[in-house]
Amino acid sequence: MQDNSQSRHEAGMAVRRRVLGDAHVNRAEAAKSDLDAPFQTMITEGAWGTVWASEAISLRERSMLTLALLAATGNFEEIPMHIRATARTGASRRDVAEAFQHVAIYAGVPRANHALKLAKQTYAEMDAAEEEQK
């Protein structure tokens, strides 16, 4: 029988791959070192294996919440990664814009404005990559 942390880790890796894609997770795993291995385990089990793996709300809703929280708290560095993830979670561009409108009202226009700027840049990169694949 698996212990709870092992099953959380496996569930976390599965959800992480589903949301972020194999290429992203493979790069993160390849870059893992002794220094950040405990951190990687913590986020895999906590964020991905507990929060994102919960079936209480959809991955689409989690994407919108995550993007809004990142913007509201000024943690802009991860916004492009989570914008890219919307292609897998089902959150539309309109959903993202709506989430950032909530940020503008409840956390401030400058944060929402910067998040929208990052979203536009990331969507442009995604569109260009899609065009190249055609």
Side-chain angles (χ1 to χ4, degrees), residues 2-129:
Q2 295 177 327
D3 69 34
N4 199 24
S5 66
Q6 184 178 3
S7 62
R8 268 197 321 274
H9 193 272
E10 290 171 2
M13 286 302 285
V15 173
R16 190 175 175 196
R17 287 182 180 284
R18 181 174 172 197
V19 171
L20 300 177
D22 287 331
H24 175 89
V25 175
N26 290 345
R27 282 190 305 274
E29 286 294 299
K32 188 167 54 175
S33 70
D34 289 342
L35 179 65
D36 68 340
F39 175 79
Q40 292 295 324
T41 297
M42 179 191 66
I43 62 171
T44 298
E45 293 174 4
W48 297 105
T50 301
V51 175
W52 278 84
S54 169
E55 295 178 0
I57 61 174
S58 69
L59 293 178
R60 174 185 164 267
E61 293 164 319
R62 286 188 199 288
S63 276
M64 294 164 64
L65 284 168
T66 300
L67 285 163
L69 287 164
L70 288 170
T73 57
N75 290 299
F76 298 112
E77 188 173 308
E78 291 199 358
I79 286 178
M81 174 182 71
H82 281 281
I83 290 291
R84 286 183 188 89
T86 63
R88 293 178 199 80
T89 65
S92 69
R93 294 176 188 207
R94 182 68 186 161
D95 291 335
V96 171
E98 290 291 330
F100 291 152
Q101 284 189 31
H102 270 66
V103 170
I105 296 302
Y106 292 101
V109 170
R111 288 186 179 196
N113 190 43
H114 188 65
L116 281 165
K117 176 183 172 186
L118 293 171
K120 287 174 17 179
Q121 289 171 347
T122 305
Y123 284 133
E125 291 168 7
M126 291 168 67
D127 291 344

